[in-house]
Amino acid sequence: SGEFIQAGVESLGRGDAEAADAEILALAIDSAKLLGEARPLIRLGDAGLINGVLAALSVPPGMARRLKRRLAAGRTPDEALDHGANGSGLDRYAGVMTALEGVGQSSAQAFVGDMLTISGVRAAGGRSAEEIAERFLSKAREGSGSLDEKRAAVLREFLSIAGHPDQVTAEIRKLAARHGLD
């Protein structure tokens, strides 16, 4: 079903990050033993790594947020990078966005506002059809488009790296050098 039990533990304000990480790992292992799991599978990660790769690849902020949400939800890299059925919810309006490409902001806003008015939308949450149209266009432009295959390939390669921490560190450095990532 893709569900799993998890707990969050944070250590704030410590200057010895490695010791804090080791302490939290020991806590996780002890907790697993208390729950009857003598040899738990341990996966370590650092959100800073995916953030760094996305920034180095110049992935637009809206797309980066969507990718991270999909990965955090347990989707595979291919599912996370797919802009089809697993899209942002606005993907079903891709035709509207294509039709509005190259159209000025005010014309696009007027068109979407007219469509909402024709559909019977007058106001929602105290906002006018024009304000709703502006928000729709903003969200759609932020989340529209797809990641080009080169950047998607680098992300797939990054997301496939697994193993002993020393091995993973070496592989990430190789990936960064191969693709000119800072």
Side-chain angles (χ1 to χ4, degrees):
S1 71
E3 292 184 23
F4 54 91
I5 297 172
Q6 69 179 26
V9 179
E10 294 184 35
S11 178
L12 304 172
R14 290 181 58 171
D16 55 347
E18 293 84 2
D21 287 348
E23 192 175 304
I24 290 174
L25 178 59
L27 177 64
I29 292 169
D30 289 345
S31 298
K33 285 180 183 174
L34 286 172
L35 294 171
E37 185 61 56
R39 295 182 48 86
L41 172 64
I42 302 196
R43 295 179 189 202
L44 299 174
D46 183 341
L49 291 173
I50 187 71
N51 291 338
V53 171
L54 292 168
L57 291 171
S58 301
V59 175
M63 188 178 297
R65 280 192 304 276
R66 194 168 57 247
L67 287 168
K68 288 188 289 187
R69 268 197 314 271
R70 291 174 182 176
L71 291 167
R75 294 211 173 106
T76 67
D78 285 335
E79 290 170 339
L81 292 166
D82 176 27
H83 288 275
N86 297 320
S88 67
L90 293 172
D91 292 335
R92 63 186 147 178
Y93 304 111
V96 172
M97 294 312 298
T98 300
L100 293 175
E101 278 181 22
V103 174
Q105 174 71 20
S106 60
S107 296
Q109 184 178 342
F111 171 77
V112 173
D114 289 347
M115 298 286 34
L116 291 171
T117 302
I118 290 168
S119 300
V121 175
R122 297 280 182 240
R127 292 179 290 163
S128 69
E130 289 76 20
E131 290 169 320
I132 296 168
E134 183 178 347
R135 177 74 175 138
F136 167 81
L137 288 166
S138 172
K139 283 188 67 113
R141 285 196 173 115
E142 178 182 271
S144 67
S146 61
L147 198 58
D148 62 83
E149 192 49 45
K150 182 177 189 248
R151 290 188 293 174
V154 173
L155 279 170
R156 279 188 191 92
E157 186 179 344
F158 169 75
L159 293 168
S160 73
I161 297 173
H164 185 278
D166 291 337
Q167 173 192 352
V168 167
T169 301
E171 290 298 317
I172 290 173
R173 285 191 174 117
K174 288 179 193 173
L175 175 121
R178 228 179 2 262
H179 298 288
L181 303 178
D182 180 13

